[in-house]
Coordinates of all heavy atoms in Angstrom, one line a residue:
M1 N 0.8 -1.2 0.0 CA 0.0 0.0 0.0 C 0.9 1.2 0.0 O 1.8 1.4 0.8 CB -0.9 0.0 1.2 CG -1.7 -1.2 1.4 SD -3.3 -0.7 2.0 CE -4.2 -2.2 1.9
A2 N 0.6 2.1 -0.9 CA 1.4 3.3 -1.0 C 0.9 4.4 0.0 O -0.3 4.5 0.2 CB 1.3 3.9 -2.5
E3 N 1.8 5.1 0.5 CA 1.5 6.1 1.5 C 1.2 7.4 0.7 O 1.7 7.7 -0.4 CB 2.6 6.4 2.4 CG 2.8 5.3 3.5 CD 3.8 5.7 4.5 OE1 4.0 6.9 4.8 OE2 4.5 4.8 5.0
K4 N 0.3 8.2 1.2 CA -0.1 9.4 0.6 C 1.0 10.5 1.0 O 1.2 10.8 2.1 CB -1.5 9.9 1.2 CG -2.0 11.1 0.5 CD -3.4 11.3 1.0 CE -4.0 12.5 0.4 NZ -5.3 12.8 1.0
K5 N 1.6 11.1 -0.1 CA 2.6 12.1 0.2 C 2.0 13.5 0.0 O 1.2 13.7 -0.9 CB 3.8 11.9 -0.8 CG 4.6 10.7 -0.6 CD 5.8 10.7 -1.5 CE 6.6 9.5 -1.2 NZ 7.8 9.4 -2.0
S6 N 2.4 14.3 0.9 CA 1.9 15.7 0.9 C 3.0 16.6 0.4 O 4.2 16.5 0.8 CB 1.6 16.1 2.3 OG 1.2 17.5 2.3
N7 N 2.7 17.4 -0.6 CA 3.6 18.4 -1.2 C 3.4 19.8 -0.6 O 3.7 20.8 -1.2 CB 3.4 18.5 -2.7 CG 3.9 17.2 -3.4 OD1 4.7 16.5 -2.8 ND2 3.4 16.9 -4.5
K8 N 2.9 19.8 0.6 CA 2.7 21.1 1.3 C 4.0 21.7 1.7 O 4.9 21.1 2.2 CB 1.8 20.9 2.6 CG 0.4 21.3 2.5 CD -0.2 21.1 3.9 CE -1.6 21.6 3.8 NZ -2.3 21.4 5.1
L9 N 4.1 23.0 1.5 CA 5.3 23.8 1.9 C 5.1 24.1 3.4 O 4.1 24.7 3.8 CB 5.4 25.1 1.1 CG 6.5 26.0 1.4 CD1 7.8 25.3 1.1 CD2 6.4 27.3 0.7
T10 N 6.1 23.7 4.2 CA 6.0 24.0 5.6 C 7.2 24.8 6.0 O 8.3 24.7 5.5 CB 6.1 22.7 6.4 OG1 7.3 22.0 6.1 CG2 4.9 21.8 6.2
F11 N 7.0 25.7 6.9 CA 8.0 26.6 7.4 C 8.5 26.2 8.8 O 7.9 25.3 9.4 CB 7.4 28.1 7.6 CG 7.0 28.7 6.3 CD1 5.7 28.8 5.9 CD2 8.0 29.2 5.5 CE1 5.4 29.3 4.7 CE2 7.7 29.8 4.3 CZ 6.3 29.9 3.8
A12 N 9.7 26.7 9.2 CA 10.3 26.2 10.4 C 9.4 26.7 11.6 O 9.3 26.0 12.6 CB 11.7 26.8 10.6
I13 N 8.8 27.9 11.5 CA 7.9 28.4 12.6 C 6.5 28.3 12.0 O 6.2 28.9 11.0 CB 8.3 29.8 12.9 CG1 9.7 29.9 13.5 CG2 7.4 30.4 14.0 CD1 10.2 31.3 13.7
P14 N 5.6 27.7 12.8 CA 4.2 27.6 12.3 C 3.5 28.9 12.2 O 3.9 29.9 12.9 CB 3.5 26.7 13.4 CG 4.6 26.1 14.2 CD 5.8 26.9 14.0
K15 N 2.6 29.0 11.3 CA 1.9 30.3 11.1 C 1.2 30.9 12.4 O 1.2 32.1 12.6 CB 0.8 30.1 10.0 CG 0.2 31.3 9.5 CD -0.9 31.0 8.5 CE -0.4 30.7 7.1 NZ -1.5 30.7 6.2
E16 N 0.7 30.0 13.2 CA 0.1 30.4 14.4 C 1.0 31.1 15.4 O 0.6 31.9 16.3 CB -0.6 29.2 15.1 CG -1.6 28.5 14.3 CD -1.0 27.4 13.5 OE1 0.0 26.8 13.9 OE2 -1.5 27.2 12.3
S17 N 2.3 30.7 15.3 CA 3.3 31.2 16.3 C 3.7 32.7 16.0 O 4.2 33.4 16.9 CB 4.6 30.4 16.2 OG 4.3 29.1 16.7
Y18 N 3.4 33.2 14.9 CA 3.7 34.6 14.6 C 3.0 35.6 15.5 O 3.5 36.6 15.9 CB 3.5 34.9 13.1 CG 4.6 34.3 12.2 CD1 4.2 33.2 11.4 CD2 5.9 34.7 12.2 CE1 5.2 32.7 10.6 CE2 6.9 34.1 11.5 CZ 6.5 33.1 10.6 OH 7.5 32.5 9.9
K19 N 1.7 35.3 15.8 CA 1.0 36.1 16.7 C 1.7 36.2 18.1 O 1.8 37.2 18.7 CB -0.4 35.6 16.9 CG -1.3 36.4 17.8 CD -2.7 35.9 17.9 CE -2.7 34.6 18.7 NZ -4.0 34.1 19.0
H20 N 2.1 35.0 18.5 CA 2.8 34.9 19.8 C 4.2 35.7 19.8 O 4.6 36.3 20.8 CB 3.0 33.5 20.3 CG 1.7 32.8 20.6 ND1 0.9 33.1 21.7 CD2 1.1 31.8 19.9 CE1 -0.1 32.3 21.7 NE2 -0.1 31.5 20.6
L21 N 4.8 35.6 18.7 CA 6.1 36.3 18.5 C 5.9 37.8 18.6 O 6.7 38.5 19.3 CB 6.8 35.9 17.2 CG 7.4 34.6 17.1 CD1 7.9 34.3 15.7 CD2 8.6 34.5 18.0
L22 N 4.9 38.3 18.0 CA 4.6 39.7 18.0 C 4.2 40.2 19.4 O 4.6 41.3 19.9 CB 3.5 40.1 17.0 CG 3.8 40.0 15.6 CD1 2.6 40.3 14.7 CD2 4.9 41.0 15.2
I23 N 3.5 39.4 20.1 CA 3.2 39.7 21.5 C 4.4 39.7 22.4 O 4.6 40.7 23.2 CB 2.2 38.6 22.1 CG1 0.8 38.8 21.5 CG2 2.1 38.8 23.6 CD1 -0.2 37.6 21.8
G24 N 5.3 38.8 22.2 CA 6.6 38.8 22.9 C 7.5 40.0 22.6 O 8.0 40.6 23.5
F25 N 7.6 40.3 21.3 CA 8.3 41.5 21.0 C 7.7 42.8 21.6 O 8.4 43.7 22.0 CB 8.4 41.7 19.4 CG 9.4 40.7 18.8 CD1 9.0 40.0 17.8 CD2 10.7 40.6 19.3 CE1 9.9 39.1 17.2 CE2 11.6 39.8 18.7 CZ 11.2 39.0 17.7
G26 N 6.4 42.8 21.6 CA 5.7 44.0 22.3 C 6.0 44.1 23.8 O 6.3 45.2 24.3
V27 N 6.1 42.9 24.4 CA 6.4 42.9 25.9 C 7.9 43.4 26.1 O 8.2 44.2 27.0 CB 6.2 41.5 26.5 CG1 6.8 41.4 27.9 CG2 4.7 41.2 26.5
V28 N 8.8 43.0 25.2 CA 10.2 43.4 25.3 C 10.3 44.9 25.1 O 11.0 45.6 25.8 CB 11.1 42.7 24.3 CG1 12.4 43.3 24.2 CG2 11.2 41.2 24.6
I29 N 9.5 45.5 24.1 CA 9.6 46.9 23.9 C 9.0 47.7 25.0 O 9.5 48.7 25.4 CB 8.8 47.2 22.6 CG1 9.6 46.7 21.4 CG2 8.5 48.7 22.4 CD1 8.8 46.8 20.0
I30 N 7.9 47.1 25.6 CA 7.4 47.8 26.8 C 8.4 47.8 28.0 O 8.6 48.8 28.7 CB 6.1 47.1 27.3 CG1 5.0 47.4 26.3 CG2 5.7 47.5 28.7 CD1 3.7 46.6 26.5
G31 N 9.2 46.7 28.1 CA 10.2 46.7 29.1 C 11.3 47.7 28.9 O 11.7 48.4 29.8
F32 N 11.7 47.9 27.7 CA 12.7 48.9 27.4 C 12.1 50.3 27.5 O 12.9 51.2 28.0 CB 13.3 48.7 26.0 CG 14.3 47.6 25.9 CD1 14.1 46.5 25.1 CD2 15.5 47.7 26.6 CE1 15.0 45.5 25.1 CE2 16.5 46.8 26.5 CZ 16.2 45.6 25.8
L33 N 10.9 50.5 27.3 CA 10.3 51.8 27.5 C 10.2 52.1 29.0 O 10.3 53.3 29.4 CB 8.9 51.9 26.9 CG 8.8 51.9 25.4 CD1 7.3 51.8 24.9 CD2 9.5 53.1 24.8
L34 N 10.0 51.1 29.8 CA 10.0 51.3 31.3 C 11.4 51.7 31.8 O 11.5 52.4 32.8 CB 9.6 50.0 32.0 CG 8.1 49.7 31.9 CD1 7.8 48.3 32.5 CD2 7.2 50.7 32.6
M35 N 12.4 51.3 31.1 CA 13.8 51.7 31.5 C 14.1 53.2 31.2 O 15.1 53.7 31.7 CB 14.8 50.8 30.8 CG 14.9 49.4 31.4 SD 16.3 48.6 30.6 CE 15.6 46.9 30.6
M36 N 13.4 53.8 30.3 CA 13.7 55.1 29.8 C 13.5 56.2 30.9 O 12.7 56.0 31.8 CB 12.9 55.5 28.6 CG 13.3 54.8 27.4 SD 12.4 55.2 25.9 CE 11.5 56.7 26.3
G37 N 14.2 57.3 30.7 CA 14.0 58.4 31.6 C 14.8 58.4 32.8 O 15.7 57.6 33.0
G38 N 14.6 59.4 33.7 CA 15.3 59.5 35.0 C 16.6 60.3 34.9 O 17.2 60.5 35.9
G39 N 16.9 60.8 33.7 CA 18.1 61.6 33.6 C 17.9 63.0 34.0 O 16.8 63.5 34.2
S40 N 19.0 63.7 34.2 CA 18.9 65.1 34.6 C 19.1 66.0 33.4 O 19.9 65.6 32.4 CB 20.0 65.4 35.6 OG 20.1 66.8 35.9
D41 N 18.5 67.1 33.3 CA 18.7 68.1 32.2 C 20.1 68.7 32.3 O 20.7 69.0 31.2 CB 17.7 69.2 32.3 CG 16.3 68.6 31.9 OD1 16.2 67.6 31.3 OD2 15.3 69.3 32.4
N42 N 20.6 68.9 33.5 CA 22.0 69.4 33.6 C 22.9 68.3 33.9 O 22.8 67.6 34.9 CB 21.9 70.4 34.8 CG 23.2 71.1 35.0 OD1 24.2 70.9 34.3 ND2 23.3 72.0 36.0
P43 N 24.0 68.1 33.0 CA 24.9 67.0 33.2 C 25.7 67.2 34.5 O 26.3 66.2 35.0 CB 25.8 67.1 32.0 CG 25.4 68.3 31.2 CD 24.2 68.9 31.8
A44 N 25.8 68.3 35.1 CA 26.6 68.5 36.3 C 25.8 68.0 37.6 O 26.4 67.9 38.6 CB 27.0 70.0 36.5
E45 N 24.5 67.8 37.4 CA 23.7 67.4 38.5 C 23.5 65.9 38.5 O 23.3 65.3 37.4 CB 22.3 68.1 38.5 CG 22.4 69.5 38.8 CD 21.0 70.2 38.7 OE1 20.0 69.4 38.7 OE2 20.9 71.4 38.7
F46 N 23.5 65.2 39.6 CA 23.2 63.8 39.7 C 21.7 63.6 40.1 O 21.3 64.2 41.0 CB 24.1 63.1 40.7 CG 23.9 61.6 40.8 CD1 24.3 60.8 39.8 CD2 23.2 61.1 41.9 CE1 24.1 59.4 39.9 CE2 23.0 59.8 42.0 CZ 23.4 58.9 41.0
S47 N 21.0 62.7 39.4 CA 19.6 62.5 39.7 C 19.5 61.0 40.2 O 19.9 60.1 39.5 CB 18.8 62.6 38.4 OG 17.5 62.2 38.7
R48 N 18.9 60.9 41.4 CA 18.7 59.6 41.9 C 17.5 58.8 41.3 O 17.3 57.7 41.6 CB 18.4 59.7 43.4 CG 19.7 60.1 44.2 CD 19.9 59.0 45.3 NE 21.1 59.2 46.0 CZ 22.1 58.4 45.9 NH1 22.0 57.3 45.0 NH2 23.2 58.5 46.6
E49 N 16.8 59.5 40.4 CA 15.7 58.9 39.7 C 16.1 57.6 38.9 O 15.2 56.8 38.6 CB 15.0 59.9 38.8 CG 14.0 60.8 39.5 CD 13.2 61.6 38.5 OE1 12.8 61.1 37.4 OE2 13.1 62.8 38.7
I50 N 17.3 57.6 38.5 CA 17.7 56.5 37.6 C 17.8 55.2 38.4 O 17.8 54.1 37.9 CB 19.1 56.7 37.0 CG1 20.2 56.9 38.0 CG2 19.0 57.9 36.1 CD1 21.6 56.9 37.4
F51 N 17.7 55.2 39.8 CA 17.8 54.0 40.6 C 16.4 53.7 41.1 O 16.3 53.0 42.2 CB 18.7 54.2 41.8 CG 20.1 54.5 41.3 CD1 20.8 55.6 41.6 CD2 20.8 53.5 40.6 CE1 22.1 55.9 41.2 CE2 22.1 53.7 40.2 CZ 22.7 54.9 40.5
S52 N 15.3 54.0 40.4 CA 14.0 53.7 40.9 C 13.7 52.2 40.7 O 14.3 51.5 39.9 CB 12.9 54.5 40.1 OG 12.9 54.1 38.8
F53 N 12.7 51.7 41.4 CA 12.2 50.3 41.3 C 11.9 50.0 39.9 O 12.2 48.9 39.4 CB 11.0 50.1 42.3 CG 10.4 48.8 42.1 CD1 10.9 47.6 42.6 CD2 9.2 48.7 41.3 CE1 10.3 46.4 42.4 CE2 8.6 47.5 41.1 CZ 9.1 46.3 41.7
R54 N 11.2 50.9 39.2 CA 10.7 50.6 37.9 C 11.9 50.4 36.9 O 11.8 49.5 36.1 CB 9.9 51.9 37.3 CG 9.3 51.6 36.0 CD 8.6 52.9 35.5 NE 9.6 53.6 34.8 CZ 9.5 54.9 34.5 NH1 8.4 55.6 34.9 NH2 10.4 55.6 33.8
R55 N 13.0 51.1 37.0 CA 14.1 51.0 36.1 C 15.1 49.9 36.5 O 15.7 49.2 35.6 CB 14.9 52.3 36.0 CG 14.1 53.3 35.3 CD 14.9 54.6 35.2 NE 14.0 55.7 34.7 CZ 13.3 56.5 35.4 NH1 13.3 56.3 36.7 NH2 12.5 57.4 34.9
I56 N 15.2 49.6 37.8 CA 16.2 48.6 38.2 C 15.6 47.2 38.3 O 16.3 46.2 38.1 CB 16.8 49.1 39.6 CG1 17.5 50.4 39.4 CG2 17.7 48.0 40.2 CD1 18.8 50.3 38.5
T57 N 14.4 47.1 38.7 CA 13.8 45.8 39.0 C 12.7 45.4 38.0 O 12.8 44.4 37.3 CB 13.2 45.7 40.4 OG1 14.2 46.2 41.3 CG2 12.8 44.4 40.8
L58 N 11.7 46.3 37.9 CA 10.5 45.9 37.1 C 10.8 45.8 35.6 O 10.4 44.8 34.9 CB 9.4 47.0 37.3 CG 8.1 46.7 36.5 CD1 7.5 45.4 37.0 CD2 7.2 47.9 36.7
A59 N 11.5 46.7 35.0 CA 11.8 46.7 33.6 C 12.6 45.5 33.1 O 12.3 44.8 32.2 CB 12.5 48.0 33.1
P60 N 13.7 45.2 33.8 CA 14.5 43.9 33.4 C 13.6 42.7 33.5 O 13.8 41.8 32.7 CB 15.7 43.9 34.4 CG 15.8 45.3 34.8 CD 14.5 45.9 34.9
I61 N 12.7 42.6 34.5 CA 11.9 41.4 34.7 C 10.9 41.3 33.5 O 10.7 40.3 32.9 CB 11.1 41.4 36.0 CG1 12.1 41.2 37.2 CG2 10.0 40.4 36.0 CD1 11.5 41.4 38.5
V62 N 10.4 42.5 33.1 CA 9.4 42.5 31.9 C 10.2 42.1 30.6 O 9.7 41.3 29.8 CB 8.8 43.9 31.8 CG1 8.0 44.0 30.5 CG2 7.9 44.2 33.0
V63 N 11.4 42.6 30.4 CA 12.2 42.3 29.3 C 12.5 40.8 29.3 O 12.3 40.1 28.2 CB 13.5 43.1 29.2 CG1 14.4 42.6 28.1 CG2 13.1 44.6 28.9
L64 N 12.9 40.3 30.4 CA 13.2 38.8 30.5 C 12.0 38.0 30.2 O 12.1 37.0 29.5 CB 13.8 38.5 31.8 CG 14.3 37.1 32.1 CD1 15.4 36.7 31.1 CD2 14.7 36.9 33.5
A65 N 10.9 38.4 30.7 CA 9.6 37.6 30.5 C 9.3 37.7 29.0 O 8.8 36.7 28.5 CB 8.5 38.2 31.3
G66 N 9.5 38.8 28.4 CA 9.2 38.9 26.9 C 10.1 38.0 26.1 O 9.7 37.3 25.2
F67 N 11.4 37.9 26.5 CA 12.3 37.0 25.8 C 12.0 35.5 26.0 O 12.1 34.7 25.1 CB 13.8 37.3 26.1 CG 14.3 38.5 25.5 CD1 15.0 39.5 26.2 CD2 14.3 38.6 24.1 CE1 15.5 40.6 25.6 CE2 14.8 39.7 23.5 CZ 15.4 40.7 24.2
I68 N 11.6 35.2 27.2 CA 11.1 33.8 27.5 C 9.9 33.5 26.7 O 9.8 32.4 26.2 CB 10.9 33.6 29.0 CG1 12.3 33.7 29.7 CG2 10.2 32.3 29.3 CD1 12.2 33.7 31.2
Y69 N 9.0 34.4 26.6 CA 7.7 34.2 25.8 C 8.1 34.0 24.4 O 7.5 33.1 23.7 CB 6.8 35.4 26.0 CG 5.4 35.1 25.5 CD1 4.5 34.4 26.2 CD2 5.0 35.6 24.2 CE1 3.2 34.2 25.7 CE2 3.8 35.4 23.7 CZ 2.8 34.7 24.5 OH 1.6 34.4 24.0
I70 N 9.0 34.7 23.8 CA 9.5 34.6 22.4 C 10.1 33.2 22.2 O 9.8 32.5 21.2 CB 10.4 35.7 22.1 CG1 9.7 37.0 22.0 CG2 11.1 35.4 20.7 CD1 10.6 38.2 21.8
M71 N 10.9 32.8 23.1 CA 11.5 31.4 23.0 C 10.4 30.3 23.0 O 10.5 29.4 22.3 CB 12.5 31.2 24.1 CG 13.8 31.9 23.9 SD 15.2 31.4 25.0 CE 14.5 31.7 26.6
W72 N 9.4 30.5 23.9 CA 8.3 29.6 24.0 C 7.6 29.6 22.6 O 7.2 28.5 22.1 CB 7.4 29.9 25.1 CG 6.1 29.1 25.1 CD1 6.0 27.8 25.6 CD2 4.9 29.5 24.6 NE1 4.7 27.4 25.4 CE2 4.0 28.4 24.7 CE3 4.4 30.6 23.9 CZ2 2.7 28.4 24.3 CZ3 3.1 30.7 23.5 CH2 2.2 29.6 23.7
A73 N 7.3 30.7 22.1 CA 6.6 30.8 20.8 C 7.3 30.1 19.7 O 6.7 29.5 18.8 CB 6.3 32.3 20.5
I74 N 8.6 30.2 19.7 CA 9.4 29.6 18.6 C 9.4 28.1 18.8 O 9.3 27.3 17.9 CB 10.8 30.1 18.6 CG1 10.8 31.6 18.1 CG2 11.7 29.3 17.7 CD1 12.1 32.3 18.3
M75 N 9.6 27.6 20.1 CA 9.8 26.2 20.3 C 8.5 25.4 20.4 O 8.5 24.1 20.3 CB 10.6 26.0 21.6 CG 11.9 26.7 21.6 SD 13.0 26.1 20.4 CE 13.6 24.7 21.2
R76 N 7.4 26.0 20.6 CA 6.1 25.2 20.8 C 5.7 24.4 19.6 O 6.0 24.8 18.5 CB 5.0 26.1 21.3 CG 4.4 26.9 20.1 CD 3.3 27.9 20.7 NE 2.5 28.4 19.6 CZ 1.3 27.9 19.2 NH1 0.8 27.0 19.9 NH2 0.7 28.4 18.2
K77 N 5.1 23.3 19.8 CA 4.6 22.5 18.7 C 3.2 23.0 18.3 O 2.3 23.2 19.2 CB 4.5 21.0 19.2 CG 5.8 20.4 19.3 CD 5.7 18.9 19.6 CE 7.0 18.3 19.7 NZ 6.9 16.8 19.8
P78 N 2.9 23.0 17.0 CA 1.6 23.5 16.6 C 0.5 22.4 16.9 O 0.9 21.2 17.0 CB 1.7 23.7 15.1 CG 2.9 22.9 14.7 CD 3.8 22.8 15.9
K79 N -0.7 22.8 17.1 CA -1.8 21.8 17.3 C -2.0 21.1 16.0 O -2.0 21.6 14.9 CB -3.0 22.5 17.8 CG -2.9 23.1 19.2 CD -4.2 23.8 19.6 CE -4.0 24.4 21.0 NZ -5.2 25.1 21.4
K80 N -2.3 19.8 16.1 CA -2.7 19.0 15.0 C -4.1 19.3 14.5 O -5.0 19.4 15.3 CB -2.6 17.5 15.3 CG -1.2 17.0 15.7 CD -0.4 16.8 14.5 CE 0.9 16.2 14.9 NZ 1.9 16.1 13.8
T81 N -4.2 19.5 13.2 CA -5.6 19.7 12.7 C -6.2 18.4 12.2 O -5.5 17.4 12.1 CB -5.5 20.7 11.5 OG1 -4.7 20.2 10.5 CG2 -5.0 22.1 12.0
A82 N -7.5 18.5 11.9 CA -8.2 17.2 11.5 C -7.6 16.6 10.2 O -7.7 15.4 10.0 CB -9.7 17.5 11.4
D83 N -7.1 17.5 9.3 CA -6.6 17.0 8.0 C -5.2 16.5 8.0 O -4.7 16.0 7.0 CB -6.8 18.1 6.9 CG -6.0 19.3 7.2 OD1 -5.6 19.5 8.4 OD2 -5.7 20.1 6.3
Q84 N -4.5 16.5 9.1 CA -3.1 16.0 9.2 C -3.1 14.7 9.8 O -3.8 14.2 10.6 CB -2.3 17.0 10.1 CG -2.1 18.3 9.4 CD -1.2 19.2 10.3 OE1 -0.9 19.0 11.4 NE2 -0.7 20.3 9.7

């Protein structure tokens, strides 16, 4: 009995994963936006705002979570459809 061969073009990353990749990139961008600011207008003055919780703790956690989500989106297996 001959097996049915499929000539379907398949990509390394499934089509459904692109939505998850965009979400992950959005989270990374939000993390970098959280790191912005806190500088002084006068370079001779030191501003302690750069050491806030948002810039030192929260933003790196958000960026790391975004990168982990991106890795998950790339590595996940697509769901099997009825025709496969």
Side-chain angles (χ1 to χ4, degrees):
M1 304 217 172
E3 287 186 33
K4 187 177 178 182
K5 290 187 178 180
S6 176
N7 291 336
K8 256 186 179 175
L9 180 65
T10 58
F11 294 102
I13 299 175
K15 192 186 275 189
E16 303 87 33
S17 292
Y18 286 109
K19 179 179 73 169
H20 293 290
L21 285 172
L22 290 174
I23 291 170
F25 284 129
V27 171
V28 171
I29 289 171
I30 289 171
F32 280 114
L33 290 174
L34 287 171
M35 284 187 213
M36 286 181 15
S40 173
D41 292 335
N42 184 359
E45 292 178 11
F46 180 75
S47 175
R48 287 235 175 251
E49 276 186 44
I50 61 171
F51 298 116
S52 69
F53 170 79
R54 186 185 87 197
R55 289 181 188 89
I56 298 296
T57 307
L58 181 64
I61 291 172
V62 171
V63 170
L64 184 63
F67 282 128
I68 290 171
Y69 191 82
I70 289 170
M71 286 191 301
W72 171 82
I74 292 171
M75 302 300 276
R76 77 183 194 99
K77 288 187 178 187
K79 293 181 180 175
K80 296 282 185 185
T81 59
D83 61 340
Q84 290 182 346

